[in-house]
C-alpha cells in the first residue's frame, strides 16, 4: 500500500540553525500539507500546497518557514532560524483531493531544538 | 485556537464494550468532519468521516454521529478491541479550505 515517508525520523539542531524536513508524498497525490504537534498538545495545521504554490497557511507559518517541491517527488519544510519552541513532531500529509477527502500522514519527524 | 475541542483527554473501556469519543466545535462554517487514530511513533491514520449533510456514517465497528445544532460529534466503537487502544483525533474543515483543525485528542485504552 502506498505511504507517505518522512526523513529524518529525528533531527536535533542548535537554536538559530536552519533545518530542512523532507517528505515524499504518495505519488499520484496533488495536495500536500505540513502539521506539527508539540509534545502533549494537539496537531496543528501549518500549510497546504497545491500546484506549486501555498494554498493556505496558518498563523504559525511565519517568515521563518518555507515549503518547496524541488522535484516531482519531494516536499520539504524549511525552518530558517530555529527557536526552542519549534521543537515538535512535524507531520507531512498528502491527499488526492482537497481536505474533504482523507489525508494520508507520514510517520513524522521529531525536531529537537537545543 | 479552540475551534475543535475534545474535552476528555483519556477514556478506558473494557474489551467488547462500546467506546464513545466526543468532540465539540465552535465554527459553524465547518462542514466536513474526520476522525483519525494515532499509534505511538506513527502519523495519524484516517478512520472515518462525515459531511454536514448527514447525521450518521457507519463503517464496520465505527460509527460517527453528527449533531449540527449542538455542534457536537461522537465516534462509537463497538465492540471495542485491545487493538483500538490509541489516541483519537477529531478534525474539521470548512468548504474547500485546506486548513483542517484538530482537537487535542483522546487516549483510548481498551482493557482485555
Amino acid at each position: 500500500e502506498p505511504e507517505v515517508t518522512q526523513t529524518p525520523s529525528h533531527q536535533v539542531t542548535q537554536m538559530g540553525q536552519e533545518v530542512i524536513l523532507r517528505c515524499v508524498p504518495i505519488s499520484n497525490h496533488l495536495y500536500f500539507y505540513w502539521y506539527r504537534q508539540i509534545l502533549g498538545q494537539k496537531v496543528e495545521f501549518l500549510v497546504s500546497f497545491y500546484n506549486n504554490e501555498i494554498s493556505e497557511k496558518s498563523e504559525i507559518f511565519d517568515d521563518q518557514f518555507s515549503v518547496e517541491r524541488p522535484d516531482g517527488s519531494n516536499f520539504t519544510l524549511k525552518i530558517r532560524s530555529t527557536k526552542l519552541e519549534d521543537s515538535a513532531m512535524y507531520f507531512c500529509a498528502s491527499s488526492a483531493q482537497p481536505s474533504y477527502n482523507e489525508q494520508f500522514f507520514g510517520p513524522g519527524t521529531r525536531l529537537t531544538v537545543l | 485556537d479552540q475551534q475543535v475541542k475534545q474535552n476528555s483527554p483519556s477514556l478506558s473501556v473494557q474489551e467488547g464494550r462500546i467506546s464513545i469519543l466526543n468532540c465539540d466545535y465552535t465554527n459553524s462554517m465547518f462542514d466536513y468532519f474526520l476522525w483519525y487514530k494515532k499509534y505511538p511513533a506513527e502519523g495519524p491514520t484516517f478512520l472515518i468521516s462525515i459531511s454536514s449533510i448527514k447525521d450518521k456514517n457507519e463503517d464496520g465497528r465505527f460509527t460517527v454521529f453528527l449533531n449540527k445544532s449542538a455542534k457536537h460529534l461522537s465516534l462509537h466503537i463497538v465492540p471495542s478491541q485491545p487493538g483500538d487502544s490509541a489516541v483519537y483525533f477529531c478534525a474539521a474543515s470548512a468548504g474547500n479550505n485546506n486548513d483542517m483543525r484538530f482537537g487535542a485528542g483522546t487516549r483510548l485504552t481498551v482493557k482485555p
Side-chain angles (χ1 to χ4, degrees):
Chain A
E1 187 174 328
E3 58 182 16
V4 176
T5 59
Q6 290 185 243
T7 54
S9 57
H10 191 188
Q11 173 90 48
V12 181
T13 190
Q14 294 289 328
M15 190 169 58
Q17 295 295 306
E18 174 183 286
V19 293
I20 298 176
L21 309 182
R22 292 185 166 78
C23 169
V24 179
I26 294 173
S27 61
N28 62 343
H29 284 184
L30 300 176
Y31 299 83
F32 313 111
Y33 315 86
W34 282 101
Y35 295 84
R36 78 171 185 193
Q37 185 181 24
I38 295 171
L39 186 64
Q41 299 185 24
K42 62 183 176 180
V43 177
E44 299 173 293
F45 169 80
L46 292 179
V47 66
S48 61
F49 191 86
Y50 170 70
N51 200 27
N52 281 321
E53 59 183 28
I54 291 173
S55 46
E56 260 115 28
K57 61 181 181 179
S58 72
E59 57 276 6
I60 302 168
F61 194 88
D62 61 22
D63 292 343
Q64 292 296 318
F65 292 89
S66 63
V67 288
E68 195 178 26
R69 188 153 161 83
D71 52 44
S73 60
N74 289 283
F75 179 52
T76 62
L77 174 70
K78 182 192 291 186
I79 309 175
R80 287 191 185 81
S81 177
T82 50
K83 302 187 284 285
L84 295 176
E85 55 265 36
D86 293 327
S87 295
M89 191 72 131
Y90 287 81
F91 293 104
C92 171
S94 70
S95 65
Q97 300 289 338
S99 69
Y100 50 82
N101 268 356
E102 62 266 25
Q103 297 176 10
F104 290 80
F105 282 76
T109 293
R110 180 169 296 285
L111 176 65
T112 302
V113 181
L114 303 176
Chain B
D1 179 350
Q2 291 287 305
Q3 294 189 54
V4 179
K5 289 184 261 191
Q6 292 176 258
N7 291 320
S8 297
S10 63
L11 174 68
S12 183
V13 170
Q14 205 67 35
E15 180 179 7
R17 307 295 289 267
I18 185 170
S19 296
I20 300 177
L21 299 128
N22 293 303
C23 178
D24 298 290
Y25 61 96
T26 57
N27 188 343
S28 57
M29 299 301 291
F30 287 146
D31 59 1
Y32 197 76
F33 306 90
L34 308 94
W35 283 94
Y36 284 82
K37 180 169 70 173
K38 185 182 178 305
Y39 293 117
E42 294 183 16
T45 303
F46 171 76
L47 195 57
I48 193 170
S49 63
I50 188 168
S51 82
S52 60
I53 62 172
K54 293 185 170 184
D55 54 20
K56 176 182 174 181
N57 189 26
E58 191 171 351
D59 183 2
R61 297 185 297 114
F62 302 91
T63 304
V64 55
F65 294 92
L66 175 63
N67 182 335
K68 289 187 290 293
S69 60
K71 294 193 177 67
H72 176 85
L73 64 155
S74 60
L75 174 68
H76 292 211
I77 307 173
V78 56
S80 302
Q81 299 172 353
D84 296 329
S85 297
V87 177
Y88 289 79
F89 291 99
C90 170
S93 65
N96 288 324
N97 190 331
N98 289 312
D99 181 353
M100 188 160 63
R101 301 284 170 152
F102 283 78
T106 296
R107 180 177 300 280
L108 173 66
T109 303
V110 180
K111 298 179 179 176

